[in-house]
């Protein structure tokens, strides 16, 4: 059964339930921060925010999200490869009835034992400042911790350092510096 069929066939997909399906995909459902009066048995056309670890993402949806946050375009074939070789891919969707819209994304690369690095964190501007970036990051961290990965790093643009600080990330812990090498 496809991801979305599983999603819509799940009758208790509300609040912050965790539903482990047969393929081991963990989905977390958040009630929309702009919604109200949530109760079990709501109609499926109600607006919901859904988190997924399904790496099978439409690259054009992702490109549109990256455009919307103002990132430079990257060749899709390289984006596809980056996703394929990522350890964790987290996407966030707004779901209204049968319509879905990609509104958030993050991925992590990892040695699968000690270290993971989070990349490409983005929330659609229409959905920013509602706690969704925090929810996306907490979900990604939870998934990495579930794999017993304890060293989680990322590279923060200067304007978002405090966003990550609020999530517990430290700048230059014990004086350690991130270093970069670029081709000439
Ligand atoms: C950075 C980004 C993911 C934050 O997502 P968001 O959904 O707006 O953030 P949230 O609403 O979950 O904010 C969580 C907390 O961080 C704070 N915060 C959000 N953006 C912040 C920023 N740029 N600087 C400092 N604090 C910020 C919020 O005030 C909130 O604080 P609180 O927990 O005390 O209430 C989002 O702004 C974005 O996609 N930006 C463009 C892409 C980008 O820069 N990505 C990061 C690349 S390193």
């Amino acid at each position: 059964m496809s991801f979305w069929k599983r999603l819509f066939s799940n009758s208790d997909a509300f609040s912050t339930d965790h539903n482990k399906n047969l393929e081991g995909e963990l989905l977390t459902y958040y009630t929309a921060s702009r919604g109200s009066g949530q109760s079990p048995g709501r109609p499926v056309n109600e607006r919901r925010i859904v988190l997924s670890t399904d790496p099978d993402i439409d690259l054009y949806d992702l490109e549109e999200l990256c455009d919307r946050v103002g990132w430079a375009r990257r060749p899709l074939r390289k984006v596809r490869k980056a996703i394929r070789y990522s350890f964790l891919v987290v996407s966030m969707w707004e779901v209204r009835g049968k319509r879905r819209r990609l509104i958030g994304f993050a991925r992590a690369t990892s040695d699968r034992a000690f270290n993971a690095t989070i990349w490409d964190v983005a929330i659609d501007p229409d959905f920013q400042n509602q706690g969704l970036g925090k929810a996306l990051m907490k979900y990604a961290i939870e998934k990495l911790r579930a794999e017993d990965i304890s060293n989680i790093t990322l590279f923060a643009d200067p304007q978002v350092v405090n966003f990550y600080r609020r999530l517990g990330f430290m700048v230059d812990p014990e004086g350690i510096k991130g270093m970069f090498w670029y081709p000439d």
Side-chain angles (χ1 to χ4, degrees):
M1 196 189 289
S2 74
F3 164 63
W4 289 104
K5 282 196 180 141
R6 278 197 300 274
L7 173 62
F8 293 123
S9 66
N10 195 328
S11 60
D12 55 351
F14 303 112
S15 70
T16 52
D17 298 337
H18 294 257
N19 303 291
K20 189 122 186 159
N21 65 35
L22 290 176
E23 284 82 8
E25 177 185 83
L26 186 65
L27 305 175
T28 303
Y29 302 87
Y30 286 87
T31 55
S33 55
R34 282 186 286 199
S36 61
Q38 314 295 352
S39 62
R42 294 171 305 177
V44 289
N45 60 1
E46 192 163 350
R47 176 181 180 269
R48 285 176 291 155
I49 305 295
V50 176
L51 276 159
S52 170
T53 54
D54 188 342
D56 189 14
I57 296 208
D58 184 318
L59 295 185
Y60 294 101
D61 284 348
L62 182 58
E63 187 172 65
E64 191 180 329
L65 174 65
C66 294
D67 285 351
R68 286 179 57 74
V69 297
W71 288 346
R73 283 209 170 171
R74 301 176 293 187
L76 286 186
R77 70 182 167 77
K78 293 195 85 170
V79 174
R80 181 181 297 111
K81 195 170 178 182
I83 289 175
R84 189 191 318 143
Y85 289 102
S86 290
F87 177 61
L88 174 70
V89 175
V90 174
S91 54
M92 182 177 263
W93 304 82
E94 181 197 45
V95 180
R96 285 178 190 269
K98 291 187 176 166
R99 284 176 41 219
R100 62 189 171 120
R101 173 178 166 195
L102 181 67
I103 60 163
F105 182 83
R107 65 186 180 89
T109 49
S110 177
D111 59 15
R112 298 168 181 257
F114 303 107
N115 306 291
T117 305
I118 296 177
W119 305 93
D120 300 340
V121 178
I123 294 289
D124 186 296
D126 284 350
F127 293 83
Q128 289 178 8
N129 302 311
Q130 299 176 40
L132 296 180
K134 189 175 178 176
L136 179 90
M137 284 296 296
K138 284 193 161 189
Y139 185 70
I141 292 166
E142 182 186 305
K143 298 295 290 173
L144 294 171
R145 290 295 298 129
E147 299 293 329
D148 201 24
I149 289 167
S150 52
N151 191 30
I152 302 174
T153 52
L154 53 78
F155 301 95
D157 288 342
Q159 70 276 11
V160 291
V161 165
N162 286 335
F163 165 71
Y164 293 120
R165 270 206 176 106
R166 283 178 154 87
L167 287 159
F169 286 86
M170 288 171 280
V171 176
D172 298 346
E174 297 171 27
I176 296 167
K177 302 282 181 200
M179 297 180 73
F180 296 76
W181 181 92
Y182 295 112
D184 295 334

